Amino acid sequence: MLQAFPGAWRLVPGQALLHHGAGDEHLVFNDLSGDTHLLDAQAMQVLRALQAGPLAPAALQGLCGEAQEPEDIAALLAELQELMLVQPA
């Protein structure tokens, strides 16, 4: 089981977060790595929230209209970190 990440998270510095999409599918271009990723609505909402500045995982739990389990947010942050879109603040 994944542990919830302590502390705040942010977009990787310099990330422009170029994206296109609506509903459940969003194409996100990582201008730092040159990679393009297909993300779901929840991942996109987390990225948009982090554009405003660093946030703790607990602050990200209710972004999609219903509270997510800490393990779900931890897994999503780990996935976005592997894609080099976010990092611990």
Side-chain angles (χ1 to χ4, degrees):
M1 176 189 275
L2 290 171
Q3 296 292 322
F5 288 111
W9 284 76
R10 66 180 180 175
L11 290 181
V12 171
Q15 179 59 255
L17 197 62
L18 303 171
H19 65 280
H20 179 74
D24 292 337
E25 294 185 337
H26 297 266
L27 287 175
V28 176
F29 177 69
N30 183 333
D31 54 324
L32 300 176
S33 69
D35 295 330
T36 301
H37 308 287
L38 180 62
L39 301 178
D40 64 15
Q42 182 183 16
M44 195 65 229
Q45 286 195 352
V46 166
L47 292 174
R48 284 184 184 144
L50 293 175
Q51 272 186 303
L55 291 171
L60 300 170
Q61 284 183 255
L63 288 178
C64 291
E66 60 183 62
Q68 300 294 312
E69 295 296 322
E71 297 84 11
D72 296 336
I73 295 299
L76 178 55
L77 288 169
E79 178 183 333
L80 294 173
Q81 184 179 27
E82 286 180 25
L83 298 176
M84 296 183 293
L85 295 169
V86 301
Q87 66 184 29

